[in-house]
């Protein structure tokens, strides 16, 4: 009786490991400063394996944006705002959750989407569109929750849900940039306090 051949390689696991390493490195060091050789070394894979899954560094960046950054955005913002008792509660919960996580971590590397947007938006049209798509997803999630609140007679502070969603994102992104520069979450907490007053 022929013995079943056991497969020892794990293409999906290898791909995920590469994405995790690339996402962390892009966040900590930047896209330009992260070479494919760095990713190969840190992920413990061969150059051929990296090239098989991501033929170019741009392909790797698009996958990081579309999979890792999108997933973090979805968990931190989209699901939080969607499932909260109100848009205001969800927005403030997202701010508070991020600030608490950064305080526990003891360092601030910035907003994953914001960091890549600042570095890559003018570098390549496909990368710019991928980043813009994630901002639209973020904005749409907040705006949709605000519309639901307005339909229920609430959220009078946001007569234009899309515009208010842009304000929330701009406040968060800007505060995260300041927090990164100062290595302190005070700016993030101050931005949340200002929003809390506006949405009261």
């Amino acid at each position: 009786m022929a013995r079943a051949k056991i497969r020892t390689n794990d293409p999906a696991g290898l791909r995920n490991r590469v994405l995790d390493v690339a996402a962390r490195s892009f966040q900590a060091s930047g896209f330009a400063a992260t070479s494919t050789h760095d990713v190969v070394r840190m992920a413990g894979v061969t150059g051929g394996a990296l090239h098989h899954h991501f033929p170019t560094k741009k392909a790797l960046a698009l996958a990081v944006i579309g999979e890792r950054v999108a997933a973090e955005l979805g968990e931190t913002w989209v699901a939080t705002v969607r499932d909260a008792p109100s848009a205001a509660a969800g927005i403030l919960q997202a701010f508070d959750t991020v600030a608490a996580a950064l305080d526990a971590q003891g360092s601030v590397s910035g907003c994953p989407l914001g960091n890549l947007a600042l570095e890559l938006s003018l570098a390549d049209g496909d990368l710019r569109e991928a980043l813009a798509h994630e901002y639209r997803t973020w904005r749409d999630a907040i705006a949709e929750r605000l519309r639901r609140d307005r339909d229920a007679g609430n959220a009078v502070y946001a007569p234009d849900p899309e515009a208010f969603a842009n304000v929330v994102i701009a406040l968060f992104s800007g505060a995260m940039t300041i927090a990164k520069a100062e290595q302190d979450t005070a700016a993030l907490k101050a931005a949340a306090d200002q929003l809390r007053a506006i949405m009261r």
Side-chain angles (χ1 to χ4, degrees), residues 31-32 61 65 115-125 127-128 131:
F31 174 79
I65 295 165
N115 285 349
L116 288 173
L118 288 171
E119 185 178 6
L120 300 178
S121 291
L122 297 180
D124 180 273
L127 292 171
R128 179 170 60 252
L131 293 160

Side-chain angles (χ1 to χ4, degrees), residues 33-44:
T34 301
S35 70
T36 54
H37 295 295
D38 292 332
V39 175
V40 164
R41 177 178 48 78
M42 291 185 289

Side-chain angles (χ1 to χ4, degrees), residues 115-197:
N115 285 349
L116 288 173
L118 288 171
E119 185 178 6
L120 300 178
S121 291
L122 297 180
D124 180 273
D126 294 331
L127 292 171
R128 179 170 60 252
E129 176 52 35
L131 293 160
H133 172 78
E134 298 309 323
Y135 277 111
R136 286 194 297 272
T137 299
W138 189 358
R139 181 175 58 243
D140 291 348
I142 297 171
E144 175 56 32
R145 190 67 183 84
L146 287 166
R147 279 191 289 271
R148 283 167 51 197
D149 285 5
R150 286 183 59 208
D151 290 346
N154 302 313
V156 294
Y157 55 82
D160 183 335
E162 286 78 13
F164 193 84
N166 271 330
V167 168
V168 170
I169 293 169
L171 271 175
F172 180 82
S173 300
M176 283 289 278
T177 300
I178 296 170
K180 181 179 178 180
E182 296 178 342
Q183 286 301 298
D184 189 294
T185 57
L188 194 62
K189 294 170 183 174
D193 287 342
Q194 291 302 306
L195 280 172
R196 188 175 284 108

Side-chain angles (χ1 to χ4, degrees), residues 67-142:
E67 297 179 43
R68 293 302 183 267
V69 174
E72 187 168 341
L73 180 64
E75 180 182 350
T76 304
W77 277 97
V78 176
T80 299
V81 172
R82 180 193 63 218
D83 299 336
S86 67
I91 289 165
L92 294 173
Q93 182 183 338
F95 269 83
D96 292 345
T97 298
V98 170
L102 294 174
D103 284 339
Q105 181 177 292
S107 64
V108 182
S109 53
C111 171
L113 181 57
N115 285 349
L116 288 173
L118 288 171
E119 185 178 6
L120 300 178
S121 291
L122 297 180
D124 180 273
D126 294 331
L127 292 171
R128 179 170 60 252
E129 176 52 35
L131 293 160
H133 172 78
E134 298 309 323
Y135 277 111
R136 286 194 297 272
T137 299
W138 189 358
R139 181 175 58 243
D140 291 348
I142 297 171

